[in-house]
Amino acid sequence: MATLLIVFSLCAAAVGLLSLVQSRWSKLAAIVLGLIATGYGWLHELSTEAESISFAFFNSQVAYMWTAISRVFWPLVLFTLTFVYVALYEVRERRWIESFVALTLINALGIFLVFTSRSFLALFLGWEVMSWSGLLIVKLTATSEKPVRSYLAWSVASGVLLLAGALLMSKGTWDLSFNTVVNNLGEYDVVAMVGLALAFVAFLIKLGIPPFHLWVPTTYEGVDPMVSAYLSGAMTKAGVFGVVLLVLITGFEWFAQFGMFRNIPWVSFFIDGVIIAGAVVATIRAWSADDASVLLAYSSIAQLSYVVIALVLMKVESYTLPAAFMGAMLLSYAHTLFEVSLFIPVGWIYHQVGTKSIASLGGAGHKMPVTFMFGFVAILSAVAIPPLVGFAAKFLIYESIVEMKVYVLSALALVVGAGAFMYAFRYVYGIFWGQIKHEYKEVSPVGIVLGLFSIALTVLLGIFNTSFQQFLTLPLESFRNLLTLDFETTTSVGGWHSAYLLALFITAGLIALLVWSSGAPARWISPRNTWYAGEPPKPEWNLQVSSHFYGPFERILDPYAEKVSLEKWLQSLSSFLEKAIGDVIRNISADLNASALASMLLLVVLAIVAYVAARGGVLL
Amino acid sequence: MINLNNFQINVWAALSLLFLPIYGTAIGLLFMGIFRRLSARIHQRYGPPLWQPYADVIKLFSKKSNFSHGWVYDLGVIMGLAGPALMLWFIPFNGLPNMAPYGDLIVILYTMVIGPLGMALAAAVGASPWGVLGVARALGMMFGYELPFMLAVLAVVAKAGTLRLTEIAAMQQSAGLWNPSNWFYALVPVAAVAGHIALQGVMGEKPFDQAIAPHEIGTGIMTEFGGKYLGMMFLFAALNLFAELALFSVLFLGGGPLWLVTLKALFLYVIASLVDITYGRFRPDQAFALLWKWPTVLALIGLMIVLFS
Amino acid sequence: MEWARLIDKVTSKSLWMMMYCTGCGAIEMPPTVTSRWDVERFGIMPMATPRQADIFLITGYLTKKTLKRVIYVYEQMPEPKYVIAHGSCPIDGGIYYDSYNTINRLDLFIPVDLYIQGCMPRAEAVMDALLKLREMVEKGEANAWQKYHENFEYYDKNQKALFGENWRAVMTL
């Protein structure tokens, strides 16, 4: 574990030095160094020893330990790093590659600390490393101040809430280890419960779950898609870890103390109600977005909502892992895979064409079919087409909701799933198909190896989703136990068989191919050779339906979406946060490092206030 | 682990599985013929013979020149026809081997979209704006009808306590194949009515045929389809029609052996056709609002009745 | 050979029609396709786009402007395709024979299978023509579309003489 810290830090430092050079070779060297560090990360993933690092801080133990749960979460970051680094090779940008690699290594280290933390203080330290390096990553490619401010405001809010929540949960004793917190919460102490709520909100902010999602689209819109790929693939997973942690600490039985309704705690109902409403709104926002990154940001929000919905309803009493946990973990993997695979093609196109606005894109697939397949299989996984990994994950989540007999919620979750097709089609058509725009005359195909690798991974992980469930349940002692050839997933209400489904899909495809080939062979014609009421489309005509794509449905849904999502109120909260933090920054210096320090200072002050408040609460 | 004993090659089962999509397509085309005849009679015309759709498909596949927009266009069309075939295999029919034990309702609901998605991809490859407008409308309408349809389906699931279609079908047949007292149409009537209204949207019949909308947006997705591609579209439409009707029959009308499900599907389709012929087409936003209002309220009431009784 | 005859027989039972009615004569179509004459009982249906159609029914006079569209649409139709010229105007110019802007003979530009003469031919005449075409298709005689391949130079020459040498430039997509 210590070796991993050293390897990552050294590689980050070396790449940081390379960023002073900024040539083609330094870019390549940076990517190679990043991949070496990632490779060591993969090696570390195989270790089964429970290594730990711990030291005392004030009254509190700061402990990091490589445990089963960190082993389960850590590949999420490694997948993202591998994909993004390999993708960077195709980016012709010179300015920020090295700095980006260095900062992502630091950021990954922060996430690693979060995943291995054994106390809330340890988690908070990792969280801060992640948040502040994340700020620098955002700053690196930001086109304006807005995304940076929004990211900073919300991540400071998240950090403050996390620390305050942790302190309240420790009842002001600074003893922040998970055991103490569990004990405190077991006594149903009001202070501890407020702390729990605050920490939950802190994690939701990092996950980008409505109503705490506003920073996600704002930030992704203003930064490079490669940066968005990293943020969405890796950093959100720290939030998933936090939610899993809190759910394991409290759990269904703990929620049940606040009253049940038809065997479901009211708390779960409330949280899931808010989140599913947010997911519906995020879906609507996703399909009406113009910027490809915003579309993907909202899709990411809607997809991650499922994780929280399932986890909040999860019962943890049984010996076997519940379907909800498996589904949540599998969806985290699927989310990492497909979001990264969706952002990377956008990034490549962005670097070749210079825009990611869907209104001015279209037709790239005619020039880069493999890149299209890369994004297409990812979006099929995102909308849960069986037997891809996205389906395996969503399936477990739906089953777990139905198992808990929350039928209205499962219907709404299925409706959100149906809405996913709408933004999926916008992504496919708006970026890749339709007429070839003039911008694409010079576009060259990229990313064949990475694309094929991603497609293979998405399919294989879907087929072998049962092996993944083994990975969650079994200790990692030998690979032989890991790979299972039993493809059937069974829950108490249903089940599916991934290998049979694949076989049937291939059979159906072959039948369709046979039918199709029975006709005369087709002549390939230009995409612009279309029927246009008899008129040959002139070269200057724009045939792409690119803005207000779902016009009639937008018109009817937007007013309601605005009301449900409390967006106006949230916008004003967000701008207040940005203003408050931005003022501090401006008063000290325009330099971001100083501003980071200033915000840290603010954080410490707030933490002390929270501490005093907590102490007061205990004394009273 | 693979148990080789389970891998007995059952030729009869495999053949009957292969036969099922062919049967479904044939029946779907026959239904289309019935529809054309029925609508002609209501218009006080004679109408075409019942086998007209078969002649249409044979003619389309025998066209001597076809136009394609490239391999993704072909891929989309092939995926389009594969989708409903895949879906049909997961629907249980008494006495016929099927794959229903290996995929429950969630699998069916998601395989249901593969076909339309493939056709949508094919429509998107060309630069024709009409095809894409059709897809936009189809997807928007899907978001519309999914809400009442899912609520109605989950009312059934709530009553049955399972997502396995085999169990849902067996439960309804427990009082006998011909006794409708255990059919979910009788057990959850309010939700079933809502589901039935939504079924009109699922099948894309009027007043919810905005996606095709001839004379308004060309013919939507089909605008650029000609020759064997239109033939594929016809086969897809026929097979999809039968698969959707069979799913609704198994969910709400008791299921049964293949011939009985076919009869029930015919019954459902005649009702749907009568509505289709009588109604005009709604505007997309009107249709969406309609679906999210009355059928949704009905389905919610139906689901609540199931949950609180 | 037998197989081809069988296909011809089936094709004759299912002919889809694209109607080009920018001249006159559109008013004869509703009675033909609706309950008065119900052309659908012979498997003949109006279709929305050229890709789906087998019959191209052109009614009334054609101007230089509309003829371009007619040729473009004709080339978009999948083969085999059949053209019916409806009314006097596409045959010899009809009452507009001396107009500065109409073309007098359609078959100089695209091959035509059947002509319906008259000004205006009634729906009965349209029915008659459609049934005649049906017979021709069944016997394998409606082969005008092959002429467009065989004599393309001829048609192309006439088109260029009318529209100018570079008129297809707009159609190279």
Side-chain angles (χ1 to χ4, degrees), chain A residues 262 383-384 395 398-399 411 421 429 433-434 491 493-497 516 520 522-525 527 531 543 549 556, chain B residues 61 66-68 78 89 99 102 104 110 124 127 132 139 142-143 146 154 158 162-164 224 228-229 285 289 307:
Chain A
R262 301 180 70 87
V383 297
F395 177 85
Y398 290 136
E399 300 277 315
F421 288 97
Y429 170 70
W433 297 114
T491 62
V493 289
W496 76 300
H497 194 294
W516 173 79
R523 189 158 60 84
W524 283 13
I525 53 173
W531 175 78
L543 304 179
F549 193 76
I556 201 157
Chain B
F61 273 97
N66 293 301
F67 305 106
S68 161
I78 289 166
W89 281 328
M99 300 307 280
Y102 303 109
D104 61 14
Y110 272 97
V132 175
L139 291 174
M142 186 170 96
F143 195 53
E146 286 283 277
L154 278 152
T162 176
L163 283 165
R164 292 190 186 89
E224 281 303 307
K228 68 173 172 180
Y229 293 90
D285 48 345
L307 289 179

Side-chain angles (χ1 to χ4, degrees), chain B residues 259-272:
Chain B
W259 62 271
L260 188 57
V261 173
T262 310
L263 282 184
K264 287 171 181 170
L266 179 62
F267 171 71
L268 285 170
Y269 190 62
V270 167
I271 295 176

Side-chain angles (χ1 to χ4, degrees), chain A residues 38-59:
Chain A
T38 316
Y40 186 77
W42 281 112
L43 270 181
H44 191 267
E45 170 69 16
L46 299 179
S47 75
T48 46
E49 271 173 65
E51 297 167 272
S52 65
I53 298 173
S54 66
F55 53 91
F57 175 75
F58 195 28
N59 202 349

Side-chain angles (χ1 to χ4, degrees), chain A residues 160 369 526:
Chain A
V160 171
S526 141

Side-chain angles (χ1 to χ4, degrees), chain A residues 261-262 280 283-284 287 366 369 372-373 376 380 383-386 391 394-395 398-399 402 405 407-408 410-412 414-419 421-422 425 428-429 433-435 483-486 488 490-497 500-501 504-505 507-509 511-513 515-533 543 545 549-550 552-553 555-557, chain B residues 1-2 6-7 17-18 21 61 63-72 74-75 77-79 81-83 85-86 89-90 99 101-104 106-107 109-111 113-114 117 120-121 124-130 132-133 135-137 139-143 146-147 150-151 154 157-158 161-164 217-218 223-224 228-229 232 235 284-286 288-289 292 300 303-304 306-308:
Chain A
F261 176 70
R262 301 180 70 87
V280 173
T283 311
I284 294 168
W287 84 55
H366 297 290
F372 157 71
M373 283 311 284
F376 182 60
L380 286 186
V383 297
I385 291 297
F391 177 77
K394 289 262 183 73
F395 177 85
Y398 290 136
E399 300 277 315
V402 173
K405 303 192 192 307
Y407 296 109
V408 179
S410 30
L412 287 175
L414 281 162
V415 171
V416 171
F421 288 97
M422 297 177 76
F425 187 73
V428 168
Y429 170 70
W433 297 114
Q435 64 174 347
L483 191 71
T484 165
L485 289 177
D486 178 15
E488 192 159 14
T490 323
T491 62
S492 65
V493 289
W496 76 300
H497 194 294
Y500 280 160
L501 209 146
L504 288 177
F505 203 162
T507 316
I511 294 175
L513 185 69
V515 174
W516 173 79
S517 56
S518 70
R523 189 158 60 84
W524 283 13
I525 53 173
S526 141
R528 288 179 70 87
N529 186 348
T530 61
W531 175 78
Y532 206 83
L543 304 179
V545 190
F549 193 76
Y550 295 108
F553 309 105
R555 267 202 298 285
I556 201 157
L557 283 171
Chain B
M1 285 293 149
I2 287 184
N6 293 341
F7 270 58
L17 277 182
L18 283 178
F61 273 97
K63 279 278 181 188
K64 290 191 177 65
S65 72
N66 293 301
F67 305 106
S68 161
H69 285 301
W71 64 270
V72 178
D74 302 348
L75 174 80
V77 172
I78 289 166
M79 191 174 145
L81 188 55
L86 184 60
W89 281 328
F90 287 102
M99 300 307 280
Y102 303 109
D104 61 14
I106 304 280
V107 174
L109 290 175
Y110 272 97
T111 46
V113 241
I114 294 176
L117 205 64
L121 177 66
V125 174
S128 168
W130 311 117
V132 175
L133 271 178
V135 177
R137 287 176 171 205
L139 291 174
M141 289 312 294
M142 186 170 96
F143 195 53
E146 286 283 277
L147 182 60
M150 289 304 154
L151 285 168
L154 278 152
V157 173
T162 176
L163 283 165
R164 292 190 186 89
I217 49 167
T223 304
E224 281 303 307
K228 68 173 172 180
Y229 293 90
M232 292 289 278
L235 293 181
D285 48 345
Q286 291 170 333
F288 189 90
W292 273 35
L300 261 179
L303 184 53
M304 289 303 152
V306 176
L307 289 179
F308 292 98

